[in-house]
Amino acid sequence: MSAPAVELDSVTIKFGAFTAVRDVQIDIKDGEFFSFLGPSGCGKTTLLRAVSGFLEPTVGAIRIHGNDMGGIGPNIRPTALIFQNLALFPLMTVWENIAFGLEVRGVAKAERRRRADELLDLIALPGQGDKMVSELSGGQKQRVAIARALAVEPQVLLLDEPLSALDLKLRQHMRTELRAIQQRVGLTFIYITHDQGEALTMSDRIAVMSSGVIEQVGPGADVYDRPDTAFVASFVGENNAFRGRVQEIAGEDVRLETAHGPLVGRLNPRNPVREGDEAYLFVRPESLKPAEADESLNRIEATVRQDEFEGSFHHLILAAGEDEALRMSSPNDGGREGGREGESLAVRFEPKRAVALPLGPLATE
Amino acid sequence: MALTGWLKSFLGKNGLLVGLYILIAVAVWIVLLIVLPQLFMLDFSFRYNLPPGQVGGPQDVYTLSNYKYLVFGSPGNQAAYNWIDLSVFGQTILAAIFVTLIDLALCYPIAYYLAHVAKGATGRLLVLSLIIPYWVNEILRAFAFRIIFGASGVINNALIYIGVIDQPIDFIREDVALYTGLSYAYILLMIFPIYNAVESLDRNQVEAARDMGASWLRIHWRIVIPYAKPGIASGCTMVFMLTAGALAAPQILGGPSSLWFTQLIVQWFNTGGNWPRGSAYAIALLIACVAFVLFMMRIFKIRVGEIGR
Ligand SMILES: Nc1ncnc2c1ncn2[C@@H]1O[C@H](COP(=O)(O)OP(=O)(O)O)[C@@H](O)[C@H]1O
Ligand SMILES: [Mg+2]
């Protein structure tokens, strides 16, 4: 096995007494689309700047393809960073922007132009090289920034929330586009975002971060379906958190005594709850279903407070005892029964769709 | 029509009292303090130097003789041109260019440092230490320079003490004191426009260039300087104009052989008692400086509007 594309070896980054990134230990594979996902201020940019060489870890090491990057400046590292605000050069044309890295390397002008045109083809902007950056739309600027970074043929491309300035439609389109570009060039991408939708749709693996600490690393489906901590469960996607005391653990099944009576879910062996402890049981909105009259397991009596109709989904907000804002999503497939605002509604969920986790801070966003 | 409309909206926006005050103040400023005196100077420069009794008399007619004098000298002159005055004129312009370049070289790094590197208290302290010395007036400063650059001044003494030289250097004769004094005189006028321009540059652009492997030299050449061009132009213009028009520093710090064109102008006004000729010389200097600045702006592709930013 060759060395990982990027190794973060117990990386800690401090600003004075403040620890922005704490003991991060991750190997990123060659050609992987790897995302760091976390709320703003959790240290994502700081970590990315350490990989690109704009700051050095206080403790630990960063290796790229096995080479220790300690003391190697951003101008020498085999990485290219795409900034949150893109940082295109406004006084240069599009092609000069793209070819800037080649200019730096002393490539002759004709060759630079040729490479820039190739990259313009790659990002589907053929023939736009002589425009000024200001003449481009947001999505086009985005792609130029990617081309400019690719031009220097980095081993790792680093992206700092590059889509955050775009509007929703374009953002969704650019997700597909980015992923496609990544697969075409086969490069390692490290992508940071606070948008779980972006992370889930594009990434091979996601690291969920909170307050400078990595909470969980894994493929999107794993992070979404089998969260390791209360923070991950509540930050990645919507989740209902039922609080209760663990009554019994039988194999994988966990029974909690809650305000709604006993509720049964699954243990997470990576972070197991213990009998007698207080714990959360997390149930996704899409795992809540209307309960038949004879179904009593994991049954919750609730009232519909609100129906946020989104087109393809009804997002119901339910009140049930002390849980005043349970969320339930059901597809708008014509088979919808009950659940008008103000009506009472009994809901239930499958034990295998619920995860029991020890108490911990929840995401506040 | 457009003017009355503008007036209405201007007065409406600022209120009658404040609006009128601003209008009148600006009008007085422009007409009384800028346009009128220059017009009188211009008018003067095209007249003969007549005794008071003949002013307004039949002999008081327009003439180009004052400008001719600058170029060709007195009619009885042997040489074809007035080489003495013309060379002072040329040297003054060259020296002003030289001083401007020195200031640019000194101030660009300082301005960049202030705008992008120095943070908080350090930055404020630096700005203060740049500004406070200007509380000392120009004459005092010039004489102070004379003292430290003098034959037994601090600099000569120090150089002799550490053994670099054994005879004092005549900094005054070599015009070192003059150029130092002139360069220092208008340094703030170079720093602040550049600082202003550089400050609004997005740091990420500098980092992006660095990330793509650019050396610091290239980052400045390709990113920072093009961005700061209007500020640089504005600073250079001011320093150049003021240096070419400086009087105190050349008079106090200039060596025996150096003569500034402004000194010639003053001579015509004062000792020569020839105001029309003095005016003509002053106008010639003004026009040459403006023409030079416009020419340079053309070469560097800077529009006049950009300088005001
Ligand atoms: N240069 C710095 N000096 C001091 N604190 C910093 C610096 N850069 C970032 N921080 C702090 O580190 C934390 C993480 O910041 P950042 O990495 O930008 O977060 P994110 O990109 O996840 O939003 C924040 O609390 C921020 O205030
Ligand atoms: Mg950030």
Side-chain angles (χ1 to χ4, degrees), chain A residues 16-219:
Chain A
F18 173 73
T19 305
V21 172
R22 189 185 298 271
D23 201 21
V24 170
Q25 182 77 43
I26 291 176
D27 288 355
I28 296 168
K29 299 193 212 45
D30 201 10
E32 190 172 21
F33 197 123
F34 192 94
S35 292
F36 286 91
L37 170 65
S40 79
C42 73
K44 305 181 296 292
T45 297
T46 304
L47 192 56
L48 206 67
R49 287 173 67 79
V51 177
S52 57
F54 285 107
L55 51 87
E56 292 281 334
T58 317
V59 184
I62 294 172
R63 284 182 283 276
I64 296 181
H65 291 290
N67 301 315
D68 190 348
M69 290 290 125
I72 296 181
N75 51 335
I76 306 174
R77 290 200 187 188
T79 58
L81 176 60
I82 294 181
F83 289 78
Q84 200 154 2
N85 66 354
L86 305 184
L88 294 174
F89 306 129
L91 300 176
M92 297 183 198
T93 61
V94 167
W95 87 263
E96 284 175 319
N97 259 281
I98 295 178
F100 183 78
L102 302 173
E103 181 188 323
V104 166
R105 283 158 182 73
V107 176
K109 185 166 177 186
E111 171 66 8
R112 294 208 301 267
R113 179 78 215 224
R114 198 186 60 71
R115 281 287 295 146
D117 284 339
E118 271 178 25
L119 284 159
L120 280 165
D121 286 342
L122 176 82
I123 58 167
L125 285 178
Q128 311 260 35
D130 288 313
K131 283 191 175 168
M132 294 307 282
V133 172
S134 56
E135 296 172 67
L136 301 182
S137 72
Q140 290 173 331
K141 283 184 191 153
Q142 188 65 62
R143 294 197 292 236
V144 170
I146 294 166
R148 185 178 71 172
L150 291 176
V152 300
E153 299 183 352
Q155 292 172 4
V156 183
L157 196 66
L158 310 169
L159 304 97
D160 187 350
E161 311 211 22
L163 304 187
S164 55
L166 305 180
D167 60 50
L168 182 68
K169 259 271 167 25
L170 199 53
R171 208 151 66 216
Q172 282 170 344
H173 172 72
M174 283 305 298
R175 287 179 190 172
T176 324
E177 190 100 334
L178 261 180
R179 180 69 180 163
I181 290 175
Q182 191 257 344
Q183 281 169 344
R184 228 172 300 154
V185 295
L187 212 60
T188 311
F189 274 39
I190 301 182
Y191 189 94
I192 70 180
T193 178
H194 66 271
D195 181 327
Q196 37 110 2
E198 272 174 23
L200 289 172
T201 44
M202 292 190 286
S203 321
D204 294 313
R205 279 192 305 156
I206 298 172
V208 183
M209 261 182 111
S210 163
S211 311
V213 176
I214 302 291
E215 297 262 327
Q216 183 172 359
V217 182

Side-chain angles (χ1 to χ4, degrees), chain A residues 151-352:
Chain A
V152 300
E153 299 183 352
Q155 292 172 4
V156 183
L157 196 66
L158 310 169
L159 304 97
D160 187 350
E161 311 211 22
L163 304 187
S164 55
L166 305 180
D167 60 50
L168 182 68
K169 259 271 167 25
L170 199 53
R171 208 151 66 216
Q172 282 170 344
H173 172 72
M174 283 305 298
R175 287 179 190 172
T176 324
E177 190 100 334
L178 261 180
R179 180 69 180 163
I181 290 175
Q182 191 257 344
Q183 281 169 344
R184 228 172 300 154
V185 295
L187 212 60
T188 311
F189 274 39
I190 301 182
Y191 189 94
I192 70 180
T193 178
H194 66 271
D195 181 327
Q196 37 110 2
E198 272 174 23
L200 289 172
T201 44
M202 292 190 286
S203 321
D204 294 313
R205 279 192 305 156
I206 298 172
V208 183
M209 261 182 111
S210 163
S211 311
V213 176
I214 302 291
E215 297 262 327
Q216 183 172 359
V217 182
D222 201 35
V223 170
Y224 189 84
D225 287 335
R226 284 172 293 280
D228 282 355
T229 65
F231 177 84
V232 174
S234 56
F235 184 74
V236 183
E238 295 281 350
N239 232 331
N240 296 303
F242 298 101
R243 195 174 167 146
R245 191 168 294 281
V246 179
Q247 293 289 340
E248 190 192 348
I249 300 177
E252 287 227 296
D253 282 342
V254 180
R255 186 159 53 80
L256 277 82
E257 191 54 41
T258 72
H260 311 287
L263 295 178
V264 181
R266 283 291 195 320
L267 195 72
N268 182 336
R270 291 181 297 224
N271 190 7
V273 295
R274 287 180 313 197
E275 275 178 27
D277 282 357
E278 281 223 75
Y280 285 122
L281 192 65
F282 287 100
V283 183
R284 297 280 178 197
E286 64 270 23
S287 299
L288 285 179
K289 307 278 183 214
E292 304 295 334
D294 58 343
E295 289 174 316
S296 60
L297 177 68
N298 289 346
R299 183 186 180 96
I300 298 164
E301 302 293 340
T303 323
V304 179
R305 273 184 27 204
Q306 216 177 317
D307 179 2
E308 291 174 354
F309 177 56
E310 190 210 36
S312 51
F313 276 91
H314 286 276
H315 300 289
L316 300 186
I317 300 184
L318 310 174
E322 64 186 26
D323 292 316
E324 290 180 345
L326 297 180
R327 303 185 71 96
M328 167 174 163
S329 304
S330 43
N332 180 20
D333 55 4
R336 176 163 172 265
E337 63 246 49
R340 313 262 164 242
E341 288 179 13
E343 286 179 11
S344 58
L345 178 71
V347 296
R348 58 173 289 277
F349 58 89
E350 293 290 332
K352 66 169 192 276

Side-chain angles (χ1 to χ4, degrees), chain B residues 153-170:
Chain B
V154 192
I155 297 181
N156 268 318
N157 281 349
L159 288 177
I160 291 171
Y161 181 78
I162 59 174
V164 180
I165 50 172
D166 45 15
Q167 288 297 312
I169 299 172
D170 193 343

